[in-house]
């Protein structure tokens, strides 16, 4: 039965985003996440830049959509290069107690991982619905796969994570910003997540997984009781 009093998650996402953006200082190079929660962070950074509270900010976007949004918000956006980022702020699909994450339901996992691995601090922002006790509890694990030979890659993945399917919202598979496809895997609970990550990364045709293990430093998680700060 549908919840007769559903909580509006949007103000919670925004609250979490504002807490994270408060960590940004003038002159920082900032990784800009993707998704409905990261959107609030990008808009708030833009607002602070526009009103002069923050100067010299350079954003590095984790998707085409965030790139467009950031430029519209008045931010300077540069491509990722080998220099470190001072901070990155992004949402997540699942947050485990040790801050291991599933990301990529929005399809941006590859650029997110490439960008956020270079951040001195990865700060996660979310509403309380993203908290899990074990990875795989609520969300499928998005796995980006090469388009060429994708049916073979899907078969290989089915040997490792039997539950799962190619992401196909309509007649055609979903295509990422990088021109690849996504396989959404249902994970078995209680598995060795680090071993699974190694196995998936060693599978021919897999470009990247949405497992972000040991990367996040802190998470701001908002509920109707306020914003909780979680650290590793
Ligand atoms: O690919 C998308 C990203 O990993 C997002 O950070 C993640 O899906 C969370 O998005 P949202 O804040 O919209 O729930």
């Amino acid at each position: 039965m549908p919840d007769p009093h559903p909580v509006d998650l949007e103000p919670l996402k925004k609250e979490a985003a504002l807490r994270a953006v408060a960590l940004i200082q003038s002159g920082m190079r900032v990784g800009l996440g993707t998704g409905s929660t990261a959107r609030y962070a990008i808009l708030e950074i833009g607002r602070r830049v526009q009103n002069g509270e923050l100067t010299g900010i350079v954003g590095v976007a984790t998707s085409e959509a965030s790139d467009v949004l950031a430029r519209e918000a008045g931010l300077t956006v540069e491509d990722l290069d080998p220099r470190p980022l001072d901070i990155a702020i992004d949402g997540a699909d699942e947050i485990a107690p040790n801050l291991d994450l599933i990301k990529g339901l929005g399809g941006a996992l590859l650029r997110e991982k490439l960008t956020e691995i270079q951040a001195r601090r990865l700060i996660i922002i979310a509403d309380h619905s993203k908290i899990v006790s074990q990875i795989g509890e609520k969300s499928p694990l998005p796995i980006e796969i090469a388009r060429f030979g994708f049916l073979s890659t899907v078969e290989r993945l089915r040997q490792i994570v039997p539950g799962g399917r190619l992401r196909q919202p309509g007649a055609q598979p979903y295509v990422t910003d990088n021109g690849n496809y996504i396989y959404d895997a249902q994970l078995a609970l209680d598995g060795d997540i680090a071993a699974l990550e190694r196995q998936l990364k060693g599978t021919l045709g897999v470009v990247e997984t949405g497992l972000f293990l040991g990367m996040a430093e802190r998470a701001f998680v908002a509920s109707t009781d306020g914003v909780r700060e979680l650290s590793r």
Side-chain angles (χ1 to χ4, degrees):
M1 230 171 63
D3 183 349
H5 305 291
V7 176
D8 180 4
L9 298 177
E10 294 309 310
L12 302 181
K13 295 178 190 181
K14 183 171 179 183
E15 246 183 283
L18 297 193
R19 287 287 294 274
V21 172
L23 299 173
I24 298 177
Q25 293 170 3
S26 290
M28 282 187 167
R29 294 170 57 77
V30 181
L32 306 172
T34 294
S36 59
T37 316
R39 178 177 170 275
Y40 288 112
I42 294 171
L43 294 178
E44 175 65 5
I45 300 167
R47 191 188 69 78
R48 291 190 182 200
V49 166
Q50 291 304 304
N51 71 15
E53 279 175 70
L54 288 172
T55 56
I57 297 293
V58 172
V60 174
T62 56
S63 62
E64 303 289 349
S66 290
D67 188 301
V68 169
L69 181 67
R71 289 177 199 274
E72 283 173 359
L75 290 175
T76 301
V77 181
E78 289 183 2
D79 288 346
L80 185 67
D81 66 26
R83 282 176 293 170
L85 299 169
D86 297 291
I87 194 167
I89 299 175
D90 203 353
D93 302 304
E94 279 194 357
I95 306 171
N98 64 354
L99 298 196
D100 281 351
L101 312 169
I102 285 183
K103 288 180 53 54
L105 279 194
L109 60 112
L110 175 59
R111 293 191 188 191
E112 289 175 340
K113 210 183 255 190
L114 283 166
T115 306
E116 292 162 13
I117 203 81
Q118 283 185 216
R120 293 195 177 101
R121 313 177 68 185
L122 170 57
I123 311 296
I124 296 301
I125 49 179
D127 64 76
H128 58 91
S129 70
K130 305 298 184 59
I131 293 290
V132 295
S133 52
Q134 300 177 61
I135 285 294
E137 206 172 276
K138 292 183 180 174
S139 172
L141 171 66
I143 303 171
E144 185 153 346
I145 61 175
R147 208 155 162 170
F148 183 84
F150 71 96
L151 288 174
S152 310
T153 303
V154 164
E155 276 317 300
R156 278 189 282 277
L157 285 172
R158 288 216 169 104
Q159 304 298 314
I160 303 168
V161 269
R165 59 170 60 167
L166 189 72
R167 189 178 298 180
Q168 190 156 347
Q172 298 300 323
Y174 173 89
V175 180
T176 70
D177 282 351
N178 319 297
N180 298 315
Y181 290 162
I182 289 192
Y183 178 83
D184 288 311
Q186 297 296 333
L187 299 186
L189 297 179
D190 289 331
D192 179 342
I193 289 295
L196 177 66
E197 169 76 342
R198 284 193 297 275
Q199 193 178 8
L200 291 172
K201 292 292 294 278
T203 300
L204 188 60
V206 168
V207 178
E208 192 48 81
T209 84
L211 285 171
F212 284 50
L213 308 181
M215 287 177 62
E217 175 201 292
R218 205 187 289 193
F220 290 109
V221 180
S223 71
T224 47
D225 296 331
V227 179
R228 260 198 314 153
E229 190 175 326
L230 310 177
S231 302
R232 249 189 313 139

